[in-house]
Amino acid sequence: MKRGTVVALAIAGVLAVGVGGAVAVSLTGSDDPAAVATESPMGDDSAAEADSADAADAEQEAQADDDTASDSEPGASPGAYVEYSESALAAAEGTRVLFFHATWCPQCRALDEDIVAEGVPDGVTVLKVDYDTHQDLRQKYDVRQQTTVVALDDSGAAVASFVPYDDPSLDTALAGLGIG
């Protein structure tokens, strides 16, 4: 390949990728994709500094996770908020709470947003059940209204049920179930 062609291809690559992307340029004159080098437009020093900063950020996040874990009770599983499935229910540790959620329900959306924003306390797993599609679970747990939360025992039987419709917050829901 002629030098002018390589330069033209390199310029076209820069324009196609834009600033901050990688540019592939054939250094061998071969059409073999394995013989292509990738060059960072930041240069080697900037790329190394960015990698070091990313590694430092990851280390700080890991330390923060370790600090949070050490503040919880020994042996307590971290709180979790997951979509309902039989396997998710079977894998849940600690206190298990079913949250019967409907996408069209403003109170359900408010409770969902609060759970995401506040997080679930250690030792509690909240399983989000689609109110419209899980009639079997609604019947099993005598759920007659969306926004209902149901606490389960180890065998999967309901031990408490509550509808935090007027105050759709996780604290209200858990308090209504006698948790926390």
Side-chain angles (χ1 to χ4, degrees):
M1 187 180 286
K2 296 189 179 193
R3 182 181 170 136
T5 305
V6 171
V7 171
L9 288 174
I11 291 170
V14 169
L15 293 174
V17 173
V19 177
V23 179
V25 179
S26 173
L27 299 177
T28 63
S30 168
D31 291 334
D32 179 13
V36 174
T38 302
E39 205 175 287
S40 170
M42 294 191 317
D44 291 336
D45 293 338
S46 297
E49 289 171 12
D51 288 343
S52 295
D54 289 343
D57 289 343
E59 185 175 328
Q60 287 176 346
E61 286 178 25
Q63 181 62 40
D65 289 345
D66 289 345
D67 291 344
T68 302
S70 65
D71 292 341
S72 64
E73 295 179 29
S77 62
Y81 183 42
V82 297
E83 292 288 329
Y84 173 84
S85 70
E86 288 184 23
S87 60
L89 179 61
E93 296 181 6
T95 303
R96 296 172 297 160
V97 175
L98 301 178
F99 163 35
F100 287 84
H101 177 276
T103 57
W104 46 264
C105 168
Q107 285 77 9
C108 296
R109 289 193 308 265
L111 179 53
D112 177 71
E113 290 169 7
D114 189 63
I115 293 170
V116 170
E118 296 299 319
V120 178
D122 288 348
V124 176
T125 299
V126 177
L127 297 109
K128 185 176 176 180
V129 179
D130 187 297
Y131 180 83
D132 294 319
T133 61
H134 281 286
Q135 290 87 3
D136 58 330
L137 294 176
R138 286 175 32 202
Q139 183 176 9
K140 179 177 181 177
Y141 296 111
D142 196 29
V143 172
R144 299 173 190 265
Q145 181 177 353
Q146 71 282 358
T147 318
T148 300
V149 290
V150 179
L152 306 177
D153 66 13
D154 290 339
S155 70
V159 293
S161 180
F162 182 71
V163 182
Y165 199 83
D166 293 331
D167 181 12
S169 68
L170 181 60
D171 288 342
T172 300
L174 295 178
L177 293 171
I179 300 170

